[in-house]
Amino acid sequence: VSVEGVYAAENNGQISQFVLLTDGDRRLPILIGAFEASSIAMEYDGARPDRPMTHDLVRTILDRLEAPLERVVIDDFWNTVYYAKLYFKRGGAEIEIDGRPSDAIALAMRFDAPIFVADGILEATLEE
């Protein structure tokens, strides 16, 4: 999938922010926090802060450790929460780390790594 954008919506006076993912035919909105929304939106827009934000710092650390992010997989949805896994390569070995989808997306964008979503999650979004 790709990031279509970061958006805000008002519901009963509360502002919620979400990232919208798409595979071209299907869309998946994922609610995210304000910090993650800002981080994703800045990368999406090509904006560069004066000082590195947290996701930029993590990218630099992983670069220096020669452990690039290979892919992100949003693979589960349970009790209104999405789950993601990040896959890194280090010394020929694959390393899997559990993470929030918002952080995983922010890092994937910085590494230009592909983002995958389980078909069952995308199909369930169509049914809602």
Side-chain angles (χ1 to χ4, degrees):
V1 298
S2 61
V3 174
E4 188 168 302
V6 177
Y7 303 95
E10 182 182 351
N11 187 13
N12 294 327
Q14 284 194 305
I15 304 292
S16 298
Q17 295 185 341
F18 62 95
V19 60
L20 188 59
L21 303 177
T22 183
D23 69 354
D25 296 320
R26 302 170 289 186
R27 290 175 157 173
L28 177 65
I30 299 178
L31 287 174
I32 58 177
F35 173 75
E36 293 81 6
S38 175
S39 181
I40 293 169
M42 287 181 69
E43 189 67 20
Y44 185 81
D45 294 336
R48 296 287 170 243
D50 293 336
R51 300 289 299 146
M53 295 180 67
T54 303
H55 296 110
D56 302 313
L57 174 63
V58 171
R59 163 71 199 255
T60 300
I61 291 168
L62 291 167
D63 280 345
R64 298 273 169 88
L65 293 173
E66 297 180 3
L69 178 63
E70 295 285 315
R71 70 188 180 284
V72 164
V73 180
I74 299 171
D75 62 351
D76 201 4
F77 178 75
W78 186 77
N79 204 21
T80 71
V81 176
Y82 290 98
Y83 293 84
K85 293 194 176 47
L86 297 91
Y87 293 89
F88 300 90
K89 282 282 190 182
R90 176 121 165 79
E94 184 172 77
I95 301 166
E96 176 187 299
I97 297 178
D98 182 47
R100 296 184 305 178
S102 55
D103 290 324
I105 292 165
L107 284 171
M109 293 178 73
R110 282 159 174 79
F111 277 94
D112 199 25
I115 302 167
F116 299 97
V117 177
D119 277 331
I121 293 172
L122 287 170
E123 292 300 324
T125 303
L126 285 177
E127 296 170 8
E128 292 178 1

